[in-house]
Amino acid sequence: SHLYFLNNSSAASASLTSNIYLEFNDTSNAGSATIANTGTVRFYTSASAGSASVSNASGATILFNQTSSAGSATLANNGYLQFGDTTTAGNSNIINDGYLLFSNTSTAGAATLTTNAGGAIVFDQSADSGTARLIVNSGGLFAIDCLGGSNFNVGSIEGSGTFKLGSHTLTTGSNNLDTTVSRTILDGGSLTKVGTGTLTLGGINLY
């Protein structure tokens, strides 16, 4: 019912189905494994998701704690996915159809984060987005209105979903991509564009 990877162990190229509890601890990693999760998967201390392919079913949970990393994994989230403490999404590719939360002082690193209809990606407390590419498709939500600080940086923003800034300053463009936001950015706040890419605002905006 419980499976633990400890020390510097690896799941290598295994195919794993987790319906109760799977933990990667210490400096262990998920290797290039394929993991289907309907229970709880936890990456703890300095563990890494490696280059694994991980699917998180509706009602299931993936947790990154302490200084763990998503590495260069592909994570398909239909449940609850949280980066806490000082964790990072690394260079991962996250396709989010559920709830994705960055909290504490975690960072999205250089990940590609795609949120689809019905999904939400939320940054709160002192989390940041590093140079991540943030794609919010129609029916998806990106929210930073609960952040503790006043400034938030992200590599790029794009898509036709909902962007909620609250009263915060959103600075975007540091990854130098050409992107388009085709829906109104909500809540006022401030928008600052940096970098060499072109950001096109296609909705009715105050910016």
Side-chain angles (χ1 to χ4, degrees), residues 64-175:
F64 287 85
N65 293 116
Q66 292 195 344
T67 59
S68 59
S69 169
S72 58
T74 297
L75 306 175
N77 178 46
N78 287 277
Y80 179 77
L81 171 57
Q82 180 179 359
F83 290 84
D85 302 324
T86 57
T87 58
T88 176
N91 293 290
S92 64
N93 181 26
I94 300 178
I95 301 94
N96 177 42
D97 293 277
Y99 190 84
L100 171 56
L101 174 65
F102 288 85
S103 62
N104 303 120
T105 57
S106 63
T107 177
T112 298
L113 310 173
T114 303
T115 294
N116 296 316
I121 177 169
V122 176
F123 291 80
D124 71 6
Q125 296 176 320
S126 298
D128 75 78
S129 189
T131 58
R133 180 181 182 182
L134 181 66
I135 305 166
V136 185
N137 291 319
S138 180
L141 170 67
F142 160 72
I144 58 172
D145 50 328
C146 292
L147 277 175
S150 59
N151 300 308
F152 185 82
N153 299 301
V154 62
S156 62
I157 56 173
E158 61 189 283
S160 55
T162 298
F163 294 79
K164 292 186 67 176
L165 306 188
S167 59
H168 299 87
T169 297
L170 174 65
T171 299
T172 184
S174 59
N175 62 16

Side-chain angles (χ1 to χ4, degrees), residues 9-14 24 28-35 43 48-52 54:
S9 60
S10 173
S13 57
F24 293 86
S28 64
N29 68 85
S32 58
T34 299
I35 300 173
F43 294 88
S48 171
S51 58
V54 185

